[in-house]
């Protein structure tokens, strides 16, 4: 019995290597960079040669970096947005779910960041059905062409969400309802009729909303409503 766990671990390690080898065999045909992480510590287990060439490292060097890999190559501020989403997907362990996000990567500390559109999903599970590997495909965005405006807009939206989430989180459910209806152009009377409250109560809520968010205009109200998916 003492040798059961090591034997099982050895078998799992062999399966992981075989699974990664399947990807490595076709990685050169994929239009992007492939990264495979271990869900135990989120260390890098594999990166396609295209990605290694871009970063100027070998796979052995990348693996040896451990957590320093993330600090060296990625924008930590952007990571605050997408890393929790990846962790959530791993915890839900749904074989149909993947997470798509934008991330910024740079090869050296003094270089500019490059935008990538990336998608991550669980790649392999152990015998108990627990995730052991996840796979990411990252595609560099060509900002010299037509998608520049779209990427810039998405970047600004993500920045707005990060910068204003703490203020938005202070709103009550009722205040969010009123924010939504106000952003849709409803008058105080119309909001009151919809929510079965008095117009005076609506006006009080509106004042509180503006105070909590630190805004004054209807445009700013609409900006919050759109950014936080109320409309």
């Amino acid at each position: 019995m003492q040798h059961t766990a090591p034997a099982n671990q050895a078998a799992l390690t062999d399966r992981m290597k075989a699974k990664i080898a399947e990807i490595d065999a076709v990685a050169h045909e994929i239009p992007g960079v492939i990264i495979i992480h271990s869900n135990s510590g989120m260390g890098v287990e594999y990166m396609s040669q295209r990605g290694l060439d871009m970063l100027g490292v070998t796979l052995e060097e990348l693996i040896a970096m451990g957590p320093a890999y993330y600090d060296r190559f990625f924008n930590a501020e952007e990571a605050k947005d997408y890393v929790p989403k990846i962790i959530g997907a791993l915890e839900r362990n749904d074989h149909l779910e993947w997470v798509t996000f934008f991330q910024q990567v740079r090869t050296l500390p003094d270089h500019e960041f490059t935008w990538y559109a990336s998608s991550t999903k669980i790649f392999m599970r152990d015998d108990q059905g627990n995730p052991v590997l996840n796979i990411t495909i990252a595609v560099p965005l060509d900002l010299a062409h037509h998608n520049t405006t779209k990427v810039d807009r998405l970047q600004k939206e993500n920045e707005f969400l990060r910068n204003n989430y703490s203020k938005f989180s202070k709103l009550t459910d009722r205040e969010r309802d009123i924010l939504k209806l106000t952003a849709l152009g409803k008058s105080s009377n119309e909001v009151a009729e919809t929510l079965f409250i008095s117009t005076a109560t609506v006006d009080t809520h509106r004042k509180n909303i503006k105070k909590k968010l630190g805004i004054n205009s209807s445009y700013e109200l609409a900006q919050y409503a759109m950014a936080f998916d109320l409309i």
Side-chain angles (χ1 to χ4, degrees):
M1 293 296 293
Q2 294 179 343
H3 300 286
T4 302
N8 288 345
Q9 183 59 48
L12 178 61
T13 299
D14 288 342
R15 285 177 51 207
M16 292 167 64
K17 291 180 179 178
K19 192 77 171 174
I20 291 173
E22 293 176 5
I23 293 297
D24 186 50
V26 298
H28 63 285
E29 299 180 4
I30 305 298
V33 177
I34 302 175
I35 311 100
I36 298 176
H37 292 88
S38 167
N39 293 331
S40 174
M42 296 296 289
V44 176
E45 294 289 333
Y46 170 83
M47 179 179 286
S48 57
Q49 191 60 49
R50 182 180 287 108
L52 295 173
D53 291 342
M54 288 179 176
L55 298 182
V57 297
T58 66
L59 180 58
E60 291 74 18
E61 290 171 336
L62 202 62
I63 293 174
M65 287 181 193
Y69 156 77
Y70 302 99
D71 296 331
R72 176 171 172 178
F73 296 114
F74 297 91
N75 185 331
E77 287 301 313
E78 291 296 327
K80 291 177 183 177
D81 178 55
Y82 60 79
V83 169
K85 297 177 182 178
I86 295 173
I87 293 174
L90 297 177
E91 291 174 347
R92 288 186 291 275
N93 196 10
D94 183 347
H95 71 284
L96 295 177
E97 182 178 3
W98 66 85
V99 178
T100 299
F101 51 94
F102 291 101
Q103 60 183 163
Q104 291 181 305
V105 182
R106 63 182 175 190
T107 55
L108 293 170
D110 59 344
H111 284 194
E112 294 291 328
F113 279 110
T114 298
W115 279 101
Y116 281 74
S118 302
S119 187
T120 297
K121 72 181 296 292
I122 295 171
F123 181 55
M124 179 180 165
R125 295 171 173 81
D126 61 19
D127 293 336
Q128 288 73 45
N130 301 310
V132 291
L133 295 175
N134 68 74
I135 186 169
T136 299
I137 297 181
V139 179
L141 297 176
D142 185 358
L143 299 185
H145 292 85
H146 67 280
N147 56 10
T148 303
T149 302
K150 293 181 179 179
V151 172
D152 185 58
R153 174 170 53 81
L154 287 169
Q155 181 181 4
K156 289 179 179 177
E157 289 178 355
N158 284 336
E159 185 177 356
F160 183 88
L161 286 170
R162 289 196 305 273
N163 291 341
N164 296 287
Y165 177 79
S166 61
K167 290 190 287 187
F168 179 78
S169 65
K170 295 177 182 177
L171 299 182
T172 65
D173 290 341
R174 176 61 82 191
E175 288 170 342
R176 294 183 188 189
D177 290 338
I178 292 173
L179 172 59
K180 173 181 178 179
L181 294 171
T182 301
L184 291 172
K186 301 291 185 182
S187 67
S188 292
N189 287 336
E190 290 172 324
V191 173
E193 290 178 2
T194 301
L195 300 179
F196 303 102
I197 57 179
S198 70
T199 55
T201 300
V202 173
D203 291 337
T204 298
H205 279 307
R206 281 181 167 171
K207 289 179 182 178
N208 290 337
I209 292 169
K210 290 181 178 180
K211 183 177 180 180
K212 288 181 179 180
L213 299 181
I215 59 178
N216 296 301
S217 68
S218 297
Y219 170 78
E220 291 171 305
L221 285 172
Q223 189 176 21
Y224 268 92
M226 288 187 290
F228 290 94
D229 296 325
L230 298 181
I231 57 175

